[in-house]
Amino acid sequence: RSVCKHCGETGRIGKLKGKSTRPGLYKCYACRRPFTVRMGTIFESTHLPLRTWLQIIFMMNSSKKGISTQQIHRIIGGSMTTAWHLGHRIRECMKPGGPLAEPMGGLGRTVEVDDTKIGGKAENRAFGPIPLKQSVMALVERDGAVRSFHVPNITANTLQPIIAKYVSRQSRYMSDEAPVYTGLAWNFTASGSVTHSQKEYVKDGDTHTNTVEGYFSVLKRGIYGVYQHVSEAHLHRYLSEFDFRYSNRQRLGVDDRMRADLALVGAKGKRLTYRTVGGPRSEAPPF
């Protein structure tokens, strides 16, 4: 049943079938405005065939470490700008929503927390200023989902609100010896930490942060090996992409086709224009 994207009318709607009318165009006779099913989704105002969109969505969801803009450009043709914007619109589908937006962990579940730096090494630069590395903090539920965040700094004032919002207090909380994390352990029913500075990586058989470090290894291999470089303004979009694939991975019973279908469901209500993603005033959203 067709629904007008402008006014919500469901009855007085007709499909336009003129010879010069583009396929899939409807008209609402309540507000007298045309619309298509693509309105209000990432496909709105696209000039690419939907089969091309579906092809790239599947490839981005079946590639563990992502697919570069250059590779998308070679597949669809056109300009690099089109390929770059297409990739970001698909990443918009992968933004957390539904169960992924709810607190992680719970009774009997374990959540690991850690942080890392994203950016090139100083010794790899022949000339020019050394770019600042970006801080990323991640929460990983063992045998579950991941939520990662691009944060301005690794301090209690920055991390405590995120951990309080996204981790259930009934969880088992695991971290390394950093005071910014161990100082929050009292909030949870059980906690543990390992001292990496003393080469301690597993304690008592179950206390470790190896799961979140495994996620960071996939993230870094994707950014350094596939994307080469990501800007600070768009790092949060790439984190959404890697989070989505990890949270819907094969080990959890989600194959490539199912993962692509889940991303396609996320296309609804996530309009992303070029001005929003690439304009001079675009900014990374808060946590």
Side-chain angles (χ1 to χ4, degrees), residues 163-206:
I163 296 174
K165 180 177 180 180
Y166 291 105
V167 182
S168 169
R169 292 197 173 192
Q170 296 181 328
S171 308
R172 297 175 67 245
Y173 175 81
M174 297 292 167
S175 70
D176 59 20
E177 75 275 21
V180 67
Y181 296 122
T182 56
L184 301 175
W186 64 270
N187 289 284
F188 303 93
T189 56
S191 64
S193 64
V194 288
T195 309
H196 287 164
S197 60
Q198 297 180 7
K199 306 298 183 182
E200 181 183 61
Y201 299 101
V202 180
K203 183 169 62 178
D204 301 329
D206 192 46

Side-chain angles (χ1 to χ4, degrees), residues 96-153:
L100 291 180
E102 299 174 358
M104 304 172 64
L107 189 62
R109 307 289 293 179
T110 300
V111 176
E112 300 178 15
V113 57
D114 201 359
D115 61 84
T116 191
K117 296 287 187 180
I118 300 294
K121 297 180 180 179
E123 58 265 29
N124 292 338
R125 291 187 65 85
F127 58 88
I130 300 172
L132 296 176
K133 291 194 174 187
Q134 304 303 318
S135 299
V136 173
M137 189 269 282
L139 306 167
V140 177
E141 181 179 331
R142 291 181 186 172
D143 297 320
V146 61
R147 286 297 311 273
S148 57
F149 306 86
H150 175 206
V151 293
N153 49 61

